[in-house]
Amino acid sequence: MTEYPSDFEFDIVLRDGGVARFRPVKKGDTDSLKHFFGQVGPASRYFRFFRSKKDLTKKELAHFAEVDYEKRMAFVGMHEGKIVGVGGYEQTTDDSGTAEIAFLVRDDHQGRGIGTQLLQLLTRYARRREIARFRAFVLPDNVRMLRVLTDSGYRLERTLDDGVYAVTFPLIYSKDARVAEEEREKQAVASSLLPIFYPRSIAVIGASRDRESVGGRLFGNLLNGNFNGPIYPVNPNARVVSSVRAYPSILDIPDPVDLAFIVVPSKFTTAVVQECAKKGVKGLVTLSAGFSEIGEDGEVLEKELLEVVRSAGMRMVGPNCMGLLNTDPNIRLNGTFAPIHPPRGNVGMSSQSGALGIAILDYSLRNNIGISTFVSVGNKADISGNDLLLYWEDDHVTDVIVLYLESFGNPRKFVRIARRISKKKPIIAVKSGRTKAGTRAALSHTGALASLDVAVSALFNQAGVIRTNTMEELFDLSMLLANQPVPRGKRVGVVTNAGGPGILAADSIESNGLEVPELSPSLQKEIRKHLSPEASARNPVDLIASAGPKEYRHCLESMITSDEVDAIIAIFVPTSDERSVEVASILRDVAARHKGEKTLLSVFMSSSEAAMSQLKDEEIRIPTYRFPEAASWALARAARYGEWRRKPEGEVPEFEDLDEESARSIVSEILSRLGEEGGWLQPDEVERLFASFGIPVPKSVVAATEDQAVEAAKKLGGPVAMKVVSPTSLHKSDVGGVALDVRSEESIRSKHKHLMSTVNDSEGVLIQEMVPGGHEILIGMTEDPSFGPLIVFGLGGVYVELMGDVAFRIHPLTDLDAAEMIEEIKSARLLHGYRSFPQGDIPAVRETLLRVSALVEAVPEIAEMDINPLKVLAPGEGVKAVDARIRIKPMRQGWSPELSDIRAAAG
């Protein structure tokens, strides 16, 4: 019997926003199952067993509890430690590829999505056991069960026989199934966060009469913010806090409480949360510090805290956070201890750092960046950045998402969610940790090139997330995207009253990859109608210093209504405070009149507060910068994001000739020999693995002796390449372990003797057919402990580390990813044919990248791979993996490509 699959234990957010624990059934669940069955209503029992049934016999209980985790499998859903739902499958005797499924959910928990989650877990597990399809027998009146199956996204075949529906469906994880899961996930998480962002009542546990303490400032901010509901201070040592009656415990509050802010020492926090659970609180914001951020003792406390939170089905922000706020006038929730309250707006923000969170709010206030919601996530024990993304995705008051990140909880999930959201709303992020300290040691070229920052950049690139290097850049860009439409193209018009700043702007615009096109004669003629003869209308349009509001209005409106530019930067160098206010007022009027038609930015080299106030209010906010370079940088990033958003969606292609079973068998066989540590594959093993996935390799033979080498060369015909085979010498050229274009018998014998002597652990010499000509490229893969597999493409041979001209993507690759990787490297022009370099078979390169990605997906035991060089032949002649190294190791407990993407409450 297979061991208990502990990697299938999850806390999952349900449709109503509650949290339930799901795990495989255990042998010791017999009594719990008996009690569960007693709580199920007679109609539900009838639907499950097709007859009236009052109790389960001992034999039936044993049958349900004692599964073998192979042909018979079951999951239970639990709430507050009790089983509330059971779903299982049993393989049929007539067809080993088919399993029959059945579900039973307690009546008072039906409609929450428990059956749907049980089905999702069963399908994932069954695919791992190579079960091809499920079959369910359902009575026509069992509407809930039929709805669960219909809404699953799988392609159902339904037949009616003797009054019973037989519903059969293949377990292929189709696009429809994935879309259905994603929609359920989004709705469930959003529902779970509503009591936190829109509570009807709040308790502050640790509210203090000391207004300088965290508890005092937090309670004061909630009161002063005019929260639209009752606020209850909880303080066992005070009868009144800030003129509001206090309670010794949350249990003493006579009315319901939706949200509790917790500001007590860490050693008391778990007990306080247990009281919140007893009170029926739905959401927690734990500001208390002293958890995982302080080390092992704190980690233990945090684990205990999270166990209580999830067992009670609550959601929690923190611990070790500074709180949250929601500027919606219908709620007015200022739940932070910060001394700043930003203006209302359309930007949703999250910060992993509390201290930086205060700075973020201050910067938002000073730059008039309106906030919809702000969350300081702290240690992210429960609610993570991924949860917030799912909430903001359909939040009608949030148009831009801004993130300060120090770590990712689930990078694969982040890519999936962010890629979908970025097509609708821009996501801007600062990710700390960019230095070489993040680089991990590795033996392959791919591993040596990969680093934490490389992985982050690849992730953001694929997901359409706009990465900034500094907080200042983050707000420069947020100010633009929150208040202006995304640029429709790269053409920029510049209007200025001073030539110098106009030249600086033009230089900066073009150096950032945008264009400053010369305006057409007709547009120049139109612009000149209200300009002095000394002005220039070519672009930049130099209105000269004497220009005032009239000239700016005419020029801006002419450019906005033309089709010759996609964005406009208006620069004003003040000639007087009065003129600054007048020009700012004109910019505001033009922006209001043509709102949304063109992306409009301003550069006001003025400190006039009166002028600045004209450029920002509740209705119109024109992003304003002190210098042209900052405006150009922000516009370039916004334009690049616009290009990404206009790109078509990529697809992960399916190849019909892949032999996944053979590949897994090869690796399983090798691991049984290598043991727990795994190791590097031998050349013939690499060749077998590549053959199963259609990756071409030259013909080759390993020769232990000179005679064998000569015989092998004869069979291959023509000149050969000779390479030493050694488990320790990964880069053969470094030790002189490679000989190319060897032709005569004498040379073969001589080279064989020499190559065998280059290393102490030589296991022979690889005799390989020569692949003349072509380009040498690298395709590789390395497993990052946080991000999973990273795939690299670049110039091959000895140049890969010398030049570092490579492109990374996070696995799995879409067809669009593969095409972009090839074009992204600087040396891509060589593959297209450049001067003396011939054109290469680029479609074959794309296909090889996708086949490597498919191999990594099918065989997650692959930890590192180098195909270097991969010879790219002439168009139509394909590619050949001339040299390749693959390292494998057993999968770590609890990880698989599918499981890493299940919706866990921790995000």
Side-chain angles (χ1 to χ4, degrees):
M1 184 173 108
T2 301
E3 292 183 5
Y4 175 79
S6 60
D7 50 333
F8 270 85
E9 293 182 346
F10 298 100
D11 293 303
I12 300 178
V13 181
L14 302 176
R15 182 180 297 131
D16 62 358
V19 180
R21 177 155 295 172
F22 292 81
R23 62 166 174 80
V25 73
K26 299 178 181 178
K27 192 172 183 180
D29 285 333
T30 304
D31 291 341
S32 297
L33 285 168
K34 183 177 179 65
H35 181 266
F36 158 72
F37 188 80
Q39 300 294 308
V40 176
S44 296
R45 296 181 193 177
Y46 182 82
F47 286 146
R48 168 65 178 84
F49 295 98
F50 293 11
R51 58 190 173 91
S52 297
K53 192 171 181 61
K54 294 184 177 181
D55 204 354
L56 294 174
T57 66
K58 288 185 178 180
K59 185 177 180 181
E60 287 173 326
L61 281 169
H63 178 79
F64 290 132
E66 296 177 15
V67 299
D68 61 9
Y69 305 120
E70 292 181 10
K71 295 183 178 181
R72 294 183 56 249
M73 179 60 185
F75 286 94
V76 296
M78 307 186 72
H79 175 71
E80 296 183 347
K82 296 179 180 178
I83 295 175
V84 295
V86 180
Y89 73 69
E90 184 167 354
Q91 281 187 270
T92 59
T93 55
D94 58 327
D95 182 0
S96 61
T98 301
E100 184 178 326
I101 57 170
F103 300 91
L104 186 60
V105 177
R106 219 169 75 181
D107 293 53
D108 56 339
H109 285 269
Q110 291 178 7
R112 302 184 66 205
I114 290 175
T116 296
Q117 295 296 342
L118 288 169
L119 176 61
Q120 180 178 341
L121 288 170
L122 286 169
T123 55
R124 303 274 178 140
Y125 191 87
R127 281 196 290 269
R128 175 185 276 194
R129 308 305 308 180
E130 299 185 356
I131 294 172
R133 66 194 65 82
F134 275 166
R135 180 184 298 139
F137 294 98
V138 188
L139 292 172
D141 292 341
N142 193 352
V143 177
R144 286 189 184 275
M145 180 64 174
L146 289 171
R147 186 179 298 128
V148 166
L149 296 175
T150 303
D151 293 346
S152 67
Y154 290 97
R155 297 174 184 175
L156 308 181
E157 295 180 7
R158 185 163 58 180
T159 58
L160 184 63
D161 187 18
D162 290 334
V164 177
Y165 280 116
V167 183
T168 305
F169 56 95
L171 300 186
I172 298 171
Y173 192 49
S174 65
K175 183 178 181 180
D176 289 341
R178 175 172 56 81
V179 169
E181 281 186 15
E182 289 176 351
E183 188 62 29
R184 288 194 297 268
E185 171 189 56
K186 179 174 61 177
Q187 293 176 1
V189 171
S191 296
S192 76
L193 297 187
L194 278 176
I196 291 177
F197 286 120
Y198 286 89
R200 291 167 297 180
S201 56
I202 291 174
V204 179
I205 304 172
S208 174
R209 289 179 293 185
D210 179 1
R211 296 192 178 186
E212 294 304 311
S213 68
V214 171
R217 291 198 302 256
L218 170 67
F219 189 69
N221 282 347
L222 285 166
L223 287 177
N224 296 333
N226 296 316
F227 170 67
N228 191 19
I231 307 171
Y232 304 103
V234 176
N235 187 328
N237 301 314
R239 295 181 59 190
V240 174
V241 176
S242 295
S243 301
V244 181
R245 179 189 174 183
Y247 297 87
S249 161
I250 194 171
L251 297 174
D252 297 312
I253 298 172
D255 300 315
V257 175
D258 281 345
L259 176 64
F261 288 84
I262 299 174
V263 195
V264 301
S266 58
K267 61 183 178 180
F268 302 123
T269 303
T270 300
V272 165
V273 171
Q274 288 172 333
E275 291 182 344
C276 290
K278 191 174 181 180
K279 179 68 177 175
V281 172
K282 298 180 178 67
L284 304 169
V285 181
T286 304
L287 287 79
S288 307
F291 292 91
S292 60
E293 78 277 5
I294 67 169
E296 291 184 6
D297 291 343
E299 288 177 3
V300 172
L301 276 177
E302 187 167 300
K303 187 175 181 181
E304 293 173 356
L305 174 66
L306 186 59
E307 178 65 28
V308 175
V309 170
R310 291 188 172 172
S311 295
M314 297 186 288
R315 300 305 310 272
M316 177 179 70
V317 175
N320 185 36
C321 71
M322 61 167 284
L324 58 84
L325 59 84
N326 182 354
T327 62
D328 188 331
N330 293 313
I331 192 72
R332 297 189 299 273
L333 173 60
N334 183 4
T336 77
F337 57 82
I340 305 113
H341 191 274
R344 180 188 172 201
N346 60 347
V347 178
M349 286 190 177
S350 168
S351 173
Q352 199 168 336
S353 164
L356 272 175
I358 295 175
I360 286 170
L361 294 180
D362 180 61
Y363 205 102
S364 300
L365 180 63
R366 285 190 285 116
N367 289 272
N368 204 39
I369 296 175
I371 303 297
S372 58
T373 45
F374 169 85
V375 185
S376 165
V377 293
N379 293 358
K380 301 190 300 182
D382 180 39
I383 292 174
S384 70
N386 289 342
D387 291 300
L388 296 174
L389 286 175
L390 289 167
Y391 175 82
W392 283 322
E393 180 173 2
D394 288 338
D395 181 29
H396 70 281
V397 296
T398 299
D399 298 320
V400 178
I401 298 169
V402 174
L403 308 172
Y404 170 76
L405 300 169
E406 292 175 355
S407 63
F408 293 93
N410 188 329
R412 289 171 67 96
K413 186 177 293 296
F414 180 92
V415 170
R416 176 173 59 80
I417 296 170
R419 178 181 273 168
R420 184 177 72 236
I421 295 174
S422 292
K423 288 292 182 181
K424 301 179 287 185
K425 300 179 180 183
I427 301 174
I428 310 168
V430 166
K431 171 66 178 70
S432 59
R434 301 177 60 99
T435 64
K436 290 185 178 179
T439 304
R440 65 185 184 87
L443 293 175
S444 71
H445 289 296
T446 305
L449 289 164
S451 68
L452 177 62
D453 194 55
V454 163
V456 172
S457 294
L459 181 150
F460 286 163
N461 189 308
Q462 286 168 272
V465 175
I466 312 169
R467 184 177 190 177
T468 63
N469 299 323
T470 66
M471 296 298 293
E472 185 175 7
E473 290 178 351
L474 179 123
F475 282 103
D476 282 346
L477 187 55
S478 301
M479 186 165 48
L480 169 58
L481 289 173
N483 300 304
Q484 292 293 313
V486 176
R488 297 173 184 169
K490 294 183 175 183
R491 302 169 302 169
V492 184
V494 179
V495 181
T496 179
N497 67 339
I503 295 170
L504 287 175
D507 288 344
S508 182
I509 289 167
E510 294 199 340
S511 66
N512 278 291
L514 302 181
E515 303 166 6
V516 184
E518 183 172 348
L519 304 181
S520 67
S522 60
L523 183 54
Q524 289 190 44
K525 182 179 180 181
E526 174 63 26
I527 289 173
R528 283 198 183 97
K529 285 182 179 179
H530 297 281
L531 301 187
S532 67
E534 295 82 8
S536 170
R538 298 179 65 185
N539 196 21
V541 177
D542 185 358
L543 306 177
I544 71 172
S546 61
K550 179 182 176 182
E551 288 82 2
Y552 267 95
R553 180 191 293 276
H554 174 72
C555 182
L556 288 171
E557 292 203 340
S558 296
M559 296 179 81
I560 286 175
T561 55
S562 78
D563 62 356
E564 296 186 26
V565 295
D566 304 300
I568 300 169
I569 297 178
I571 304 172
F572 181 75
V573 179
T575 53
S576 69
D577 285 347
E578 181 181 350
R579 182 57 58 87
S580 295
V581 174
E582 291 173 346
V583 171
S585 178
I586 289 300
L587 258 66
R588 185 187 181 285
D589 290 347
V590 170
R593 183 177 177 184
H594 299 279
K595 190 173 182 179
E597 293 182 32
K598 289 279 187 350
T599 308
L600 178 62
L601 299 78
S602 66
V603 176
F604 258 67
M605 303 172 108
S606 166
S607 58
S608 168
E609 288 295 329
M612 293 300 100
S613 66
Q614 293 291 322
L615 299 171
K616 50 189 180 183
D617 62 22
E618 285 293 329
E619 296 299 322
I620 296 295
R621 290 176 179 153
I622 303 172
T624 304
Y625 306 87
R626 291 298 300 273
F627 299 104
E629 292 85 353
S632 302
W633 181 92
L635 183 59
R637 293 301 184 277
R640 194 177 302 165
Y641 164 69
E643 281 186 316
W644 181 90
R645 197 157 74 170
R646 290 188 292 271
K647 289 191 304 187
E649 289 283 346
E651 295 289 339
V652 178
E654 296 182 4
F655 297 99
E656 296 181 356
D657 61 341
L658 306 185
D659 190 348
E660 296 184 9
E661 185 177 347
S662 175
R664 284 193 286 263
S665 176
I666 292 167
V667 170
S668 178
E669 169 197 327
I670 297 169
L671 279 175
S672 66
R673 185 187 76 241
L674 294 175
E676 288 298 314
E677 296 299 316
W680 294 91
L681 271 59
Q682 295 299 319
D684 61 317
E685 295 167 340
V686 173
E687 188 173 335
R688 288 166 55 205
L689 194 59
F690 280 180
S692 66
F693 267 68
I695 299 171
V697 296
K699 297 175 184 176
S700 62
V701 178
V702 176
T705 66
E706 294 176 21
D707 288 341
Q708 290 176 355
V710 171
E711 185 63 26
K714 287 181 180 178
K715 288 183 178 180
L716 293 174
V720 296
M722 301 176 67
K723 306 170 186 178
V724 67
V725 177
S726 162
T728 59
S729 299
L730 303 183
H731 309 314
K732 304 172 185 67
S733 58
D734 291 350
V735 296
V738 178
L740 303 177
D741 199 26
V742 186
R743 297 174 179 269
S744 68
E745 179 178 338
E746 181 181 352
S747 295
I748 291 170
R749 292 184 181 276
S750 172
K751 295 295 184 183
H752 187 280
K753 183 181 294 184
H754 168 72
L755 293 173
M756 291 290 284
S757 67
T758 56
V759 292
N760 295 325
D761 58 350
S762 172
E763 297 177 354
V765 174
L766 184 74
I767 312 299
Q768 186 181 73
E769 68 170 321
M770 279 292 296
V771 182
H775 299 272
E776 292 189 351
I777 64 169
L778 160 77
I779 292 178
M781 166 264 169
T782 186
E783 184 187 349
D784 184 276
S786 298
F787 293 83
L790 294 173
I791 296 178
V792 65
F793 168 81
L795 197 67
V798 299
Y799 302 105
V800 60
E801 287 179 359
L802 179 65
M803 296 180 64
D805 186 17
V806 295
F808 274 91
R809 291 292 187 277
I810 289 176
H811 165 79
L813 298 184
T814 66
D815 51 0
L816 186 61
D817 290 330
E820 287 181 342
M821 290 175 79
I822 295 170
E823 300 305 322
E824 187 175 308
I825 64 171
K826 298 181 183 67
S827 49
R829 293 175 66 186
L830 298 178
L831 293 176
H832 289 283
Y834 181 74
R835 293 189 177 179
S836 62
F837 291 90
Q839 188 177 353
D841 194 339
I842 294 177
V845 177
R846 285 199 297 266
E847 182 176 326
T848 305
L849 276 164
L850 294 167
R851 285 180 179 272
V852 166
S853 181
L855 176 59
V856 171
E857 180 75 13
V859 187
E861 293 87 352
I862 297 176
E864 218 161 348
M865 178 193 304
D866 266 351
I867 308 176
N868 182 28
L870 178 75
K871 277 290 189 78
V872 184
L873 306 178
E877 295 183 12
V879 298
K880 285 199 175 181
V882 173
D883 198 7
R885 298 287 290 174
I886 296 177
R887 181 170 65 88
I888 60 173
K889 65 177 182 180
M891 280 192 299
R892 63 181 184 268
Q893 179 68 23
W895 186 93
S896 76
E898 284 195 330
L899 292 189
S900 69
D901 212 29
I902 284 183
R903 170 65 249 175

